[in-house]
Amino acid sequence: MLVTGNDILVPARAGKYGVGSFNTNNMEITQAIIHTAERLRSPVMVQMSEGAIKYGGQDLANIVIDLATRATVPVALHLDHGSSYESALRAIRMGFTSVMIDASHHGFEDNVRETRRVVEAAHAMGISVEAELGRLGGIEEHIVVDEKDAFLTDPEEAVQFIEQTGTDYLAIAIGTSHGAYKGKGRPFIDQARIQKIGELTSIPLVAHGSSGVPADIILRFRESGGEIGEAAGIADEDLQLACQHGIAKVNVDTDLRLAMTVGVREVLKASPKEFDPRKLFGPAREVMSTIVEHKLGVLGSVGKA
């Protein structure tokens, strides 16, 4: 069933579990997300970035909406990193049930003003809103933040921001980062900061840049001919602990990109003459399904739908 973000995330925050919010760019990714969530009886969010909208447009949104509408578990279609008021309104017109306005690169007052504009418009349409306070490092499409420009979310500012904007859920900077390169070894996640913000607020909190970048997927990527540096991801245990203190929405993109590429590469390596797209993307869909299944299990949302 197609629902709003609040319909999924408010129960998650109350129940101290997380919900995976997975980025999609095509039909196979969407199927891997929604079909796996349905099999595991888990709520799930499917998100499209502005890049995905540019690539797939209304056609891709319609695929998500159709699969979500026919699913027997709650599914929300979310705009990831909406860059403007106009972008958020466009997504709402396309049928999105949740939108993000990311004005975190502005100062506090400007962030509040831009977020409040989107909240007023979206709420009038019954749509939930995510905003961001603090800045994550890393690279995600048009979002490029050098580590020196990243800063973690201040708990007191988070309280003020929520009160002044009315946002439904808030993405906080806690040590995660976009992309496959989150540092060497195990990235540091500021659990004390999450706990403090969770104690001071009651709305669902969001962790961006939360791909695990599994070692086995990286190994398969390399063995099938891919080239990648010393990639590292967020530990499962860190996400589980974060969900106990208010994180309810956990964003995952890189893991699915890697998994899909592994699926395609392995087929082409084993069968260089293969050119049937079904035999390329079918196995890729299966690899992505294993990633989704693992993440839903880690976040504790299995059986919650």
Side-chain angles (χ1 to χ4, degrees):
M1 63 200 81
L2 184 64
V3 301
T4 70
N6 264 344
D7 291 329
I8 290 175
L9 297 180
V10 170
R13 166 86 202 238
K16 296 186 177 182
Y17 61 89
V19 173
S21 192
F22 301 91
N23 284 73
T24 189
N25 293 286
N26 66 13
M27 182 187 74
E28 287 81 7
I29 300 174
T30 307
Q31 289 174 322
I33 297 166
I34 296 179
H35 289 170
T36 304
E38 182 147 32
R39 176 166 55 82
L40 298 177
R41 308 308 304 162
S42 171
V44 75
M45 296 182 72
V46 180
Q47 53 189 35
M48 290 171 58
S49 65
E50 291 181 347
I53 292 174
K54 182 178 180 180
Y55 177 75
Q58 189 68 59
D59 295 335
L60 179 56
N62 286 348
I63 289 173
V64 180
I65 292 168
D66 176 61
L67 287 174
T69 300
R70 291 189 286 113
T72 58
V73 297
V75 182
L77 173 55
H78 177 73
L79 171 65
D80 187 28
H81 285 291
S83 61
S84 66
Y85 175 81
E86 292 74 19
S87 177
L89 291 190
R90 181 172 66 250
I92 292 172
R93 288 194 295 268
M94 292 175 68
F96 284 61
T97 58
S98 174
V99 295
M100 179 185 185
I101 173 64
D102 181 3
S104 61
H105 52 290
H106 294 303
F108 183 84
E109 292 183 359
D110 288 340
N111 192 353
V112 166
R113 182 171 58 254
E114 288 302 302
T115 299
R116 189 165 53 220
R117 288 180 69 204
V118 173
V119 168
E120 291 173 352
H123 282 184
M125 302 292 291
I127 304 301
S128 307
V129 178
E130 174 184 339
E132 183 168 341
L133 186 65
R135 299 204 74 191
L136 276 69
I139 300 173
E140 184 180 27
E141 295 186 351
H142 64 285
I143 308 296
V144 180
V145 180
D146 191 276
E147 292 302 326
K148 65 180 175 58
D149 296 319
F151 59 89
L152 302 185
T153 305
D154 178 84
E156 299 295 339
E157 279 195 348
V159 174
Q160 298 173 35
F161 186 84
I162 292 167
E163 291 176 347
Q164 293 180 35
T165 63
T167 190
D168 296 295
Y169 20 103
L170 181 66
I172 55 176
I174 50 176
T176 58
S177 60
H178 295 123
Y181 307 100
K182 303 180 190 297
K184 294 183 178 180
R186 180 169 172 169
F188 171 74
I189 303 302
D190 195 336
Q191 297 288 352
R193 187 177 301 270
I194 299 171
Q195 184 171 358
K196 181 65 174 178
I197 296 173
E199 290 172 350
L200 294 175
T201 65
S202 60
I203 67 171
L205 303 175
V206 182
H208 282 234
S210 296
S211 284
V213 193
D216 63 319
I217 291 294
I218 294 299
L219 178 61
R220 290 170 66 180
F221 184 86
R222 291 182 177 130
E223 289 181 341
S224 59
E227 296 182 4
I228 190 168
E230 294 302 314
I234 307 304
D236 292 344
E237 296 79 9
D238 282 327
L239 292 179
Q240 290 172 329
L241 182 57
C243 291
Q244 295 301 304
H245 298 302
I247 295 293
K249 177 175 179 282
V250 177
N251 286 17
V252 178
D253 185 8
T254 298
D255 283 351
L256 294 188
R257 294 186 182 202
L258 286 169
M260 184 168 202
T261 305
V262 163
V264 172
R265 280 187 176 278
E266 288 180 340
V267 172
L268 291 175
K269 182 179 180 180
S271 306
K273 294 181 180 180
E274 186 59 70
F275 59 86
D276 184 341
R278 296 167 297 183
K279 294 182 179 180
L280 298 177
F281 296 120
R285 183 172 54 199
E286 293 306 311
V287 181
M288 289 187 288
S289 294
T290 65
I291 293 291
V292 175
E293 179 172 358
H294 176 77
K295 210 69 172 185
L296 297 180
V298 167
L299 298 178
S301 63
V302 174
K304 294 297 194 298

